[in-house]
């Protein structure tokens, strides 16, 4: 966990995987916890499967910067295949961490990280999501992982607040709340640090 | 309830709190969410607005014009080519003195087609007779929309108001925001009670008829006077707004300008990024400051000249390319405003951020380094340049 005033997170995913939604949800929950936040995706022509980027700033003071994040504290990768085509570690701060959705271990995935020597965290978001939710929604497991690894928010309070958000968001289909909560908890247990 | 909302959600929520009589609705990226959210409020019965869906922006503005002329308070939202398609009707709205409120979510104009932010749409409409107020973030977008009607509808002004926020950067970014209570908003905005309107049977009138040469000029001068009068009203409304919100607004915001020798003049979300850079520079002992222009129409020329009078070098940042071959619109206005000063700072224009090209804090720091050079040497160098574009291969 970094000790600077502001935590900056960059999300890499593919259109349709929910990177934007996870980013917005993180902002919303952090806001409920009294933090100043920004959550914003980088927009372009929207295509399923195309690489997309989204950003979070979480801080105790309002941040007036409205540019993209070039030197993130944490990078979240929802789709392992992006490692071949996108330099996901670009600008990642020394002392920060990258969190990758993969069945592999941190040791196995490090070779693809173009020389990144810092902390690598992995989580098998696909398996967890398919086991609990019955479908591949990688955003929920990765959201849990980045909250735990970054320490940007206290885990217990995060879980309580996000449950409230889910109740609001899924008012029309409350049956999915339990699965999402279980996915979050399981992901926090399983994330590997290397 | 969450306390974090995007700029589009914030403006749609302001509209809900105001509960206008009519909305002319047509979607275009990135403003689409405004009529989208508002349609939910209508469907839920949370507002009793007449929600008129039409086939183009020319028509959505026409709906607003007709409704406002009939005596109904009307609102609209658009972006980019949508605003361009309204162009003819923007003049009609302003010259008929119909205080419509339009949320303009600024975006580049075609071509090449591009959905991202710059100010080429709103700047293209700068001479249509609309008041233009720009926001730096979601909070200001919300606040400006609530202040728009008390400004535009007042008898000394009677002009339509365009509240502008940066597409995606503000419209789609979720940030903390403080909403006012709906009761407070409704009381602040009040009812729209024009003296004359189409549906007033005791006093039938025509709106927008032909004007012969014997009258046209008088009408245009009245319109110009209304725009001049708007300045005082904008400040009055800002004072009233401060009482209900605790948030203070002027024609522009001066940031660390007290003893600034080097300054930047800019509009919108980029001002926030530049503030962070100014803070950095101040820590290094650089006397840097910035002015964020909030009200572009009416242009606060005298006030701006006064605020810049003690500086040595100033960079004006234009987020639109006016193709004047002589600098962008903000530069033209600023340079013109400075002409009457006895001692003028050196002035350069930098066109930046076109079609969503990001402005970084480092960019701002580099510009201030250039200003420091200019102040030290007295040599301005190239006056009108562009920032951040790749160079053509030789």
């Amino acid at each position: 966990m970094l000790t600077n005033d502001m935590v900056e997170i960059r999300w890499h995913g593919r259109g349709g995987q929910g990177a934007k939604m996870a980013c917005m949800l993180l902002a919303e929950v952090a806001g409920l916890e009294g933090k100043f936040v920004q959550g914003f995706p980088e927009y372009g022509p929207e295509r399923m499967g195309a690489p997309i980027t989204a950003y979070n700033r979480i801080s105790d003071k309002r941040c007036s910067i409205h540019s993209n994040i070039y030197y993130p504290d944490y990078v979240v990768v929802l789709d392992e295949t992006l490692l071949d085509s996108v330099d996901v570690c670009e600008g990642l701060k020394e002392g920060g961490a990258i969190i990758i959705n993969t069945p592999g271990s941190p040791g196995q995935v490090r070779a693809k990280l173009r020389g990144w020597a810092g902390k690598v965290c992995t989580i098998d978001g696909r398996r967890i999501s398919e086991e609990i939710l019955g479908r591949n929604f990688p955003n929920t497991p990765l959201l849990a992982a980045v909250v735990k690894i970054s320490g940007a928010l206290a885990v217990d309070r995060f879980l309580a607040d996000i449950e409230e958000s889910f109740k609001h968001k899924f008012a029309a289909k409350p049956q999915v709340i339990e699965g999402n909560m279980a996915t979050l908890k399981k992901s926090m247990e399983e994330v590997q640090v290397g | 309830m969450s306390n974090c909302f995007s700029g589009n959600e914030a403006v749609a929520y302001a509209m809900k709190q105001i509960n206008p009589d009519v909305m002319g609705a047509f979607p275009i990226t990135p403003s689409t969410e405004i009529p989208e959210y508002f349609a939910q409020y209508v469907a839920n019965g949370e507002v009793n607005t007449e929600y008129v869906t039409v086939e183009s922006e020319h028509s959505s503005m026409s709906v607003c014009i007709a409704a406002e002329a009939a005596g109904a308070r009307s609102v609209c939202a658009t972006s980019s080519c949508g605003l361009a398609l309204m162009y003819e009707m923007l003049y009609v709205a302003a010259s008929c003195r119909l205080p419509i409120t339009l949320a303009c979510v600024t975006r580049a104009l075609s071509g090449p087609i591009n959905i991202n932010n710059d100010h080429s749409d709103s700047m293209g409409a700068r001479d249509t007779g609309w008041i233009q107020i720009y926001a730096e973030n979601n909070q200001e977008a919300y606040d400006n929309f609530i202040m728009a009607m008390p400004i535009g509808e007042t008898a000394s002004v009677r002009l339509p108001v365009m509240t502008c926020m940066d597409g995606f950067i503000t419209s789609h970014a979720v940030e903390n925001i403080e909403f006012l209570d709906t009761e407070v908003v409704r009381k602040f905005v009040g009812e729209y009670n024009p003296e004359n309107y189409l549906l007033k049977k005791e006093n039938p009138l025509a709106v927008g008829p032909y004007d012969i040469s014997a009258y046209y000029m008088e009408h245009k001068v009245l319109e110009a006077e209304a725009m001049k009068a708007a300045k005082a009203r904008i400040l009055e409304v800002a004072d009233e707004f401060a009482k209900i919100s605790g948030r203070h607004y002027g024609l522009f915001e001066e940031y660390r300008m007290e003893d600034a020798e080097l300054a930047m003049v800019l509009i919108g979300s980029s001002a926030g990024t530049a503030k962070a850079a100014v803070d950095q520079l101040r820590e290094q002992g650089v006397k840097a400051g910035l002015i964020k222009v909030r009200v572009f129409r009416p242009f606060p020329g005298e006030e701006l000249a006064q605020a810049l009078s003690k500086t040595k070098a100033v960079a004006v940042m234009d987020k639109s390319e006016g193709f004047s071959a002589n600098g962008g619109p903000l530069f033209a206005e600023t340079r013109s405003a400075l002409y009457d000063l006895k001692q003028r700072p050196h002035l350069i224009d930098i066109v930046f951020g076109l079609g969503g090209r990001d402005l970084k804090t480092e960019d701002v720091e580099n510009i201030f380094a250039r200003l420091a050079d200019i102040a030290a040497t007295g040599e301005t160098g190239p006056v009108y340049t562009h920032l951040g574009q790749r160079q053509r291969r030789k």
Side-chain angles (χ1 to χ4, degrees), chain B residues 328-387:
Chain B
L330 181 57
F331 180 65
E333 297 285 358
T334 306
R335 188 150 70 166
S336 164
L338 294 183
Y339 186 81
D340 291 329
L341 286 180
K342 284 201 174 70
Q343 280 249 298
R344 290 188 290 268
H346 293 278
L347 207 61
I348 55 170
D349 182 28
I350 297 175
V351 176
F352 77 106
L354 303 184
R357 185 63 52 95
D358 205 12
L359 180 80
K360 299 172 242 177
T361 50
E362 297 96 291
D363 297 325
V364 177
E365 285 165 22
N366 291 338
I367 292 164
F368 273 104
R370 201 177 139 197
L371 291 178
D373 265 359
I374 292 171
T377 62
E379 296 290 328
T380 303
V383 170
Y384 154 53
T385 57
H386 296 79
L387 176 80

Side-chain angles (χ1 to χ4, degrees), chain B residues 165-176:
Chain B
M165 71 168 122
D166 286 347
F168 293 112
I169 300 168
T170 308
S171 68
H172 283 64
V174 166
E175 281 193 89
N176 308 63

Side-chain angles (χ1 to χ4, degrees), chain B residues 107-130:
Chain B
R107 162 188 157 184
L109 280 172
S110 300
I113 190 166
N114 173 290
I115 62 165
N116 297 103
N117 169 246
D118 67 34
H119 296 157
S120 51
D121 51 2
S122 59
M123 283 297 159
R126 69 190 183 276
D127 296 340
T128 55
W130 283 62

